[in-house]
Amino acid sequence: MKKQVKTAAVLFLLACVSMTSCNTSKKDNNNNMIEKVSFGKLPDGQETELYTLKNASGMEVKISNFGGTVVSWTAPNNKGVYEDVILGCDSVAGYVKGVPYFGALIGRFGNRIANGKFTLEGKEYTLAQNNGVNALHGGLKGFDKVLWTATPIEGEEPALKLTYTAKDGEEGYPGNLSVEVVYTLQKDNALKIDYKATTDKTTIINLTNHTYFNLNGNLDSDILEHEVTLNADKFLPVDKTLIPTGELKPVTGNVFDFLKSKKISAGINDTTDTQIKAGGGYDHCWVLTDSTKTLKSAATVYEPKSGRVLEVLTTEPAIQFYAGNFLNGTIKGKNGIIYKHRSGLCLETQHYPDSPNKPAFPSTVLKPNETYQTTTVYKFSVK
Ligand code: GLA
């Protein structure tokens, strides 16, 4: 009899443990919920997870350990209605099939490196040319396509810690690079992203997040009437392969001036501007006027109908404003919605593209005894 009770208890425990591994809800001390569900299997059979961070005001951010991807994010409009404001897929299968970095963590080097080559401490390194002749966003299997180790963090505000170690030589980059990214959903409807990394060999690094925002709350629409402010007095003109020419060009007097709030539609189709032509619209890196490493306001986006405002703050020196020019109606996203041309915009905080080949640009070199550390905050409000 005693033995039977023991066996039942063990079975019960085992059942609980196995349930916990596939679906858990964890309430922290402040009643914030961090929920975990399956996000589907990878082609090699590995399970992926989807975590939901929810704050007291009702904002919900879903993040997968696949690519550290922000999959959905609800923000209130001026009537208090929460709607999803980012592009993404319903399950991991969509991301595996191939999407242009929706919501993903980008690394080891965000943006382009000319001809997939750079020299560091006298040694030349060759990367995959995965964007025409250039290397883009960390390579064929960048940080957007790897499985991160996720740990929910209890505390005043719900957070998810993601860690990944890229091996020496992975995607052609030198050094074993240990990366830690913490997403924290703050009480004030802001998602804070803290990036940290260390290496055992001198390497290069430029981490960012590639979320596509559409503040309409209707992802079946474009972002052309969004009003953008960029606190940047210069931008980086590019060649026809989108590599910076090296010039830091003042924004005054051209369509790259977002110092005062302006509709995207006002300049994005001005093909008399050679840079708009080169980028197929806005797809450039703006150099922030404040070049200090403090957390400062880099950009603001306002969507007049919904009243939604998104402010981006960062410790980084620059921001890539990409208006979804390559979206062309071929990708089916969440809830079967087809993502049209320019249905999402990205504000990728970062160092300048092709920095490893441009000694005059701020350095992206990380040495073994240093710690890479940056923070970016995406904060929602209404007006
Ligand atoms: C970045 C680039 C764009 C494009 C997108 C992904 O933002 O700047 O040119 O490659 O990624 O489609």
Side-chain angles (χ1 to χ4, degrees), residues 99-101 111-112 131 136-137 210 212 242 279 283-284 320-322 325-327 346 348 350:
V99 292
Y101 309 96
N111 219 314
R112 293 177 174 81
N131 187 250
L136 177 70
H137 293 334
H210 209 293
Y212 289 68
L242 296 181
D283 189 1
H284 295 75
Q320 179 89 7
F321 166 36
Y322 167 59
N325 310 310
F326 292 116
L327 295 174
C346 302
E348 307 154 48
Q350 56 190 239

Side-chain angles (χ1 to χ4, degrees), residues 56-359:
S57 44
M59 176 171 276
E60 253 186 38
V61 180
K62 292 186 193 279
I63 301 166
S64 175
N65 61 340
F66 180 74
T69 304
V70 184
V71 169
S72 70
W73 188 341
T74 65
N77 65 8
N78 45 18
K79 294 187 183 72
V81 181
Y82 280 78
E83 287 164 315
D84 193 359
V85 289
I86 68 166
L87 308 192
C89 306
D90 288 319
S91 73
V92 80
Y95 295 90
V96 171
K97 205 166 147 201
V99 292
Y101 309 96
F102 287 168
L105 290 178
I106 305 295
R108 162 176 332 197
F109 200 96
N111 219 314
R112 293 177 174 81
I113 295 179
N115 302 307
K117 282 199 192 308
F118 66 97
T119 302
L120 197 57
E121 296 181 332
K123 195 172 173 226
E124 189 181 68
Y125 292 91
T126 302
L127 311 168
Q129 293 167 298
N130 61 335
N131 187 250
V133 294
N134 302 320
L136 177 70
H137 293 334
L140 297 172
K141 191 178 178 188
F143 293 176
D144 59 300
K145 293 184 190 73
V146 301
L147 209 49
W148 295 68
T149 302
T151 318
I153 306 174
E154 292 188 43
E156 235 191 274
E157 291 166 325
L160 187 69
K161 179 166 96 179
L162 295 162
T163 55
Y164 178 71
T165 300
K167 293 204 179 62
D168 185 15
E170 187 170 321
E171 287 298 327
Y173 298 97
N176 290 295
L177 184 79
S178 306
V179 188
E180 180 191 289
V181 177
V182 180
Y183 285 106
T184 305
L185 180 55
Q186 300 183 163
K187 290 184 196 131
D188 59 350
N189 280 353
L191 185 70
K192 177 159 72 98
I193 316 179
D194 291 302
Y195 303 85
K196 221 195 241 180
T198 52
T199 181
D200 61 359
K201 259 190 202 169
T202 303
T203 191
I204 55 165
I205 184 166
N206 194 21
L207 305 180
T208 192
N209 176 278
H210 209 293
T211 294
Y212 289 68
F213 294 96
N214 182 328
L215 305 192
N216 287 322
N218 164 18
L219 302 177
D220 192 11
S221 64
D222 66 51
I223 46 78
L224 292 172
E225 297 312 296
H226 286 38
E227 297 173 14
V228 172
T229 312
L230 297 173
N231 300 324
D233 55 6
K234 296 186 189 70
F235 79 104
L236 304 180
V238 290
D239 67 15
K240 60 176 189 314
T241 74
L242 296 181
I243 291 292
T245 59
E247 183 196 359
L248 271 69
K249 191 170 175 176
V251 295
T252 39
N254 60 61
V255 292
F256 289 80
D257 188 351
F258 283 93
L259 285 165
K260 282 202 199 101
S261 168
K262 190 170 83 185
K263 279 192 175 162
I264 296 172
S265 62
I268 197 166
N269 291 320
D270 183 358
T271 43
T272 62
D273 185 293
T274 52
Q275 280 304 308
I276 287 288
K277 225 173 160 181
Y282 292 118
D283 189 1
H284 295 75
C285 184
W286 270 256
V287 176
L288 301 178
T289 309
D290 180 349
S291 60
T292 61
K293 287 184 180 155
T294 51
L295 190 70
K296 68 262 174 198
S297 184
T300 308
V301 185
Y302 170 57
E303 197 288 298
K305 280 198 205 120
S306 67
R308 286 190 180 93
V309 179
L310 169 67
E311 188 185 8
V312 185
L313 302 104
T314 188
T315 59
E316 289 278 33
I319 192 162
Q320 179 89 7
F321 166 36
Y322 167 59
N325 310 310
F326 292 116
L327 295 174
N328 59 4
T330 52
I331 299 170
K332 196 190 270 179
K334 286 175 281 190
N335 305 313
I337 293 174
I338 310 274
Y339 295 139
K340 302 186 174 112
H341 190 218
R342 296 176 178 157
S343 57
L345 65 90
C346 302
L347 291 161
E348 307 154 48
T349 56
Q350 56 190 239
H351 270 59
Y352 310 177
D354 201 31
S355 295
N357 294 310
K358 301 263 187 322

Side-chain angles (χ1 to χ4, degrees), residues 19-37:
M19 268 170 71
T20 317
S21 64
C22 54
N23 192 341
T24 55
S25 272
K26 192 156 148 192
K27 249 189 188 182
D28 68 19
N29 300 335
N30 302 281
N31 268 348
N32 291 314
M33 294 280 285
I34 302 178
E35 191 192 58
K36 176 176 110 179
V37 296

